[in-house]
PDB file of all heavy atoms in Angstrom:
ATOM      1  N   VAL A 342      50.359 -62.718 -47.047  1.00 86.00           N
ATOM      2  CA  VAL A 342      51.237 -62.946 -45.891  1.00 86.00           C
ATOM      3  C   VAL A 342      50.622 -63.993 -44.965  1.00 86.00           C
ATOM      4  O   VAL A 342      51.316 -64.891 -44.483  1.00 86.00           O
ATOM      5  CB  VAL A 342      51.490 -61.622 -45.136  1.00 86.00           C
ATOM      6  CG1 VAL A 342      52.279 -61.882 -43.850  1.00 86.00           C
ATOM      7  CG2 VAL A 342      52.236 -60.638 -46.023  1.00 86.00           C
ATOM      8  N   GLU A 343      49.313 -63.868 -44.728  1.00 86.00           N
ATOM      9  CA  GLU A 343      48.634 -64.829 -43.860  1.00 86.00           C
ATOM     10  C   GLU A 343      48.718 -66.237 -44.435  1.00 86.00           C
ATOM     11  O   GLU A 343      49.030 -67.202 -43.718  1.00 86.00           O
ATOM     12  CB  GLU A 343      47.164 -64.426 -43.681  1.00 86.00           C
ATOM     13  CG  GLU A 343      46.407 -65.225 -42.635  1.00 86.00           C
ATOM     14  CD  GLU A 343      45.932 -66.593 -43.097  1.00 86.00           C
ATOM     15  OE1 GLU A 343      45.751 -66.766 -44.329  1.00 86.00           O
ATOM     16  OE2 GLU A 343      45.747 -67.499 -42.259  1.00 86.00           O
ATOM     17  N   PHE A 344      48.448 -66.374 -45.739  1.00 87.00           N
ATOM     18  CA  PHE A 344      48.425 -67.698 -46.362  1.00 87.00           C
ATOM     19  C   PHE A 344      49.819 -68.315 -46.394  1.00 87.00           C
ATOM     20  O   PHE A 344      49.998 -69.484 -46.026  1.00 87.00           O
ATOM     21  CB  PHE A 344      47.863 -67.584 -47.785  1.00 87.00           C
ATOM     22  CG  PHE A 344      47.550 -68.905 -48.420  1.00 87.00           C
ATOM     23  CD1 PHE A 344      46.478 -69.658 -47.987  1.00 87.00           C
ATOM     24  CD2 PHE A 344      48.334 -69.401 -49.449  1.00 87.00           C
ATOM     25  CE1 PHE A 344      46.181 -70.886 -48.560  1.00 87.00           C
ATOM     26  CE2 PHE A 344      48.055 -70.622 -50.033  1.00 87.00           C
ATOM     27  CZ  PHE A 344      46.971 -71.363 -49.592  1.00 87.00           C
ATOM     28  N   VAL A 345      50.794 -67.530 -46.819  1.00 87.00           N
ATOM     29  CA  VAL A 345      52.171 -68.044 -46.883  1.00 87.00           C
ATOM     30  C   VAL A 345      52.688 -68.360 -45.487  1.00 87.00           C
ATOM     31  O   VAL A 345      53.330 -69.395 -45.251  1.00 87.00           O
ATOM     32  CB  VAL A 345      53.089 -67.025 -47.587  1.00 87.00           C
ATOM     33  CG1 VAL A 345      54.556 -67.465 -47.486  1.00 87.00           C
ATOM     34  CG2 VAL A 345      52.690 -66.856 -49.042  1.00 87.00           C
ATOM     35  N   GLY A 346      52.412 -67.471 -44.518  1.00 84.00           N
ATOM     36  CA  GLY A 346      52.873 -67.713 -43.157  1.00 84.00           C
ATOM     37  C   GLY A 346      52.238 -68.931 -42.531  1.00 84.00           C
ATOM     38  O   GLY A 346      52.884 -69.669 -41.790  1.00 84.00           O
ATOM     39  N   ARG A 347      50.954 -69.161 -42.842  1.00 87.00           N
ATOM     40  CA  ARG A 347      50.244 -70.321 -42.279  1.00 87.00           C
ATOM     41  C   ARG A 347      50.688 -71.621 -42.925  1.00 87.00           C
ATOM     42  O   ARG A 347      50.811 -72.652 -42.263  1.00 87.00           O
ATOM     43  CB  ARG A 347      48.738 -70.117 -42.450  1.00 87.00           C
ATOM     44  CG  ARG A 347      47.875 -71.292 -42.028  1.00 87.00           C
ATOM     45  CD  ARG A 347      46.432 -70.847 -41.824  1.00 87.00           C
ATOM     46  NE  ARG A 347      45.914 -70.083 -42.944  1.00 87.00           N
ATOM     47  CZ  ARG A 347      45.278 -70.620 -43.991  1.00 87.00           C
ATOM     48  NH1 ARG A 347      45.107 -71.919 -44.056  1.00 87.00           N
ATOM     49  NH2 ARG A 347      44.821 -69.854 -44.971  1.00 87.00           N
ATOM     50  N   MET A 348      50.921 -71.595 -44.225  1.00 86.00           N
ATOM     51  CA  MET A 348      51.258 -72.822 -44.949  1.00 86.00           C
ATOM     52  C   MET A 348      52.750 -73.140 -44.930  1.00 86.00           C
ATOM     53  O   MET A 348      53.130 -74.308 -44.965  1.00 86.00           O
ATOM     54  CB  MET A 348      50.777 -72.710 -46.401  1.00 86.00           C
ATOM     55  CG  MET A 348      49.275 -72.678 -46.542  1.00 86.00           C
ATOM     56  SD  MET A 348      48.528 -74.198 -45.890  1.00 86.00           S
ATOM     57  CE  MET A 348      46.787 -73.817 -46.075  1.00 86.00           C
ATOM     58  N   GLY A 349      53.586 -72.116 -44.897  1.00 84.00           N
ATOM     59  CA  GLY A 349      55.025 -72.371 -44.916  1.00 84.00           C
ATOM     60  C   GLY A 349      55.440 -73.085 -46.188  1.00 84.00           C
ATOM     61  O   GLY A 349      54.943 -72.808 -47.292  1.00 84.00           O
ATOM     62  N   TRP A 350      56.342 -74.070 -46.036  1.00 84.00           N
ATOM     63  CA  TRP A 350      56.821 -74.820 -47.211  1.00 84.00           C
ATOM     64  C   TRP A 350      55.739 -75.707 -47.814  1.00 84.00           C
ATOM     65  O   TRP A 350      55.871 -76.162 -48.953  1.00 84.00           O
ATOM     66  CB  TRP A 350      58.030 -75.663 -46.827  1.00 84.00           C
ATOM     67  CG  TRP A 350      59.283 -74.852 -46.670  1.00 84.00           C
ATOM     68  CD1 TRP A 350      59.905 -74.503 -45.509  1.00 84.00           C
ATOM     69  CD2 TRP A 350      60.046 -74.269 -47.729  1.00 84.00           C
ATOM     70  NE1 TRP A 350      61.004 -73.734 -45.758  1.00 84.00           N
ATOM     71  CE2 TRP A 350      61.132 -73.580 -47.123  1.00 84.00           C
ATOM     72  CE3 TRP A 350      59.940 -74.256 -49.117  1.00 84.00           C
ATOM     73  CZ2 TRP A 350      62.081 -72.891 -47.874  1.00 84.00           C
ATOM     74  CZ3 TRP A 350      60.892 -73.567 -49.866  1.00 84.00           C
ATOM     75  CH2 TRP A 350      61.944 -72.899 -49.244  1.00 84.00           C
ATOM     76  N   SER A 351      54.669 -75.947 -47.070  1.00 88.00           N
ATOM     77  CA  SER A 351      53.548 -76.714 -47.631  1.00 88.00           C
ATOM     78  C   SER A 351      52.917 -75.996 -48.817  1.00 88.00           C
ATOM     79  O   SER A 351      52.226 -76.617 -49.630  1.00 88.00           O
ATOM     80  CB  SER A 351      52.474 -76.943 -46.560  1.00 88.00           C
ATOM     81  OG  SER A 351      52.997 -77.673 -45.474  1.00 88.00           O
ATOM     82  N   LEU A 352      53.170 -74.698 -48.929  1.00 87.00           N
ATOM     83  CA  LEU A 352      52.615 -73.926 -50.038  1.00 87.00           C
ATOM     84  C   LEU A 352      53.098 -74.469 -51.384  1.00 87.00           C
ATOM     85  O   LEU A 352      52.363 -74.440 -52.376  1.00 87.00           O
ATOM     86  CB  LEU A 352      53.029 -72.453 -49.893  1.00 87.00           C
ATOM     87  CG  LEU A 352      52.502 -71.493 -50.952  1.00 87.00           C
ATOM     88  CD1 LEU A 352      50.977 -71.442 -50.915  1.00 87.00           C
ATOM     89  CD2 LEU A 352      53.088 -70.098 -50.753  1.00 87.00           C
ATOM     90  N   VAL A 353      54.316 -74.977 -51.426  1.00 88.00           N
ATOM     91  CA  VAL A 353      54.850 -75.542 -52.663  1.00 88.00           C
ATOM     92  C   VAL A 353      53.997 -76.732 -53.112  1.00 88.00           C
ATOM     93  O   VAL A 353      53.626 -76.861 -54.289  1.00 88.00           O
ATOM     94  CB  VAL A 353      56.324 -75.972 -52.487  1.00 88.00           C
ATOM     95  CG1 VAL A 353      56.849 -76.641 -53.753  1.00 88.00           C
ATOM     96  CG2 VAL A 353      57.187 -74.776 -52.121  1.00 88.00           C
ATOM     97  N   LEU A 354      53.669 -77.611 -52.170  1.00 91.00           N
ATOM     98  CA  LEU A 354      52.827 -78.766 -52.472  1.00 91.00           C
ATOM     99  C   LEU A 354      51.433 -78.324 -52.902  1.00 91.00           C
ATOM    100  O   LEU A 354      50.867 -78.856 -53.871  1.00 91.00           O
ATOM    101  CB  LEU A 354      52.747 -79.681 -51.244  1.00 91.00           C
ATOM    102  CG  LEU A 354      51.750 -80.849 -51.315  1.00 91.00           C
ATOM    103  CD1 LEU A 354      52.089 -81.775 -52.480  1.00 91.00           C
ATOM    104  CD2 LEU A 354      51.745 -81.613 -49.993  1.00 91.00           C
ATOM    105  N   ILE A 355      50.873 -77.348 -52.197  1.00 91.00           N
ATOM    106  CA  ILE A 355      49.520 -76.874 -52.501  1.00 91.00           C
ATOM    107  C   ILE A 355      49.459 -76.265 -53.893  1.00 91.00           C
ATOM    108  O   ILE A 355      48.552 -76.557 -54.686  1.00 91.00           O
ATOM    109  CB  ILE A 355      49.057 -75.870 -51.437  1.00 91.00           C
ATOM    110  CG1 ILE A 355      48.777 -76.610 -50.133  1.00 91.00           C
ATOM    111  CG2 ILE A 355      47.808 -75.113 -51.896  1.00 91.00           C
ATOM    112  CD1 ILE A 355      48.535 -75.713 -48.959  1.00 91.00           C
ATOM    113  N   LEU A 356      50.430 -75.424 -54.226  1.00 88.00           N
ATOM    114  CA  LEU A 356      50.442 -74.805 -55.555  1.00 88.00           C
ATOM    115  C   LEU A 356      50.634 -75.848 -56.644  1.00 88.00           C
ATOM    116  O   LEU A 356      50.020 -75.765 -57.717  1.00 88.00           O
ATOM    117  CB  LEU A 356      51.540 -73.746 -55.629  1.00 88.00           C
ATOM    118  CG  LEU A 356      51.324 -72.492 -54.784  1.00 88.00           C
ATOM    119  CD1 LEU A 356      52.490 -71.523 -54.948  1.00 88.00           C
ATOM    120  CD2 LEU A 356      50.020 -71.800 -55.152  1.00 88.00           C
TER     121      LEU A 356
END
Side-chain angles (χ1 to χ4, degrees):
V342 174
E343 189 280 335
F344 191 71
V345 172
R347 175 162 50 91
M348 293 299 176
W350 285 106
S351 299
L352 182 62
V353 176
L354 172 60
I355 288 170
L356 291 180

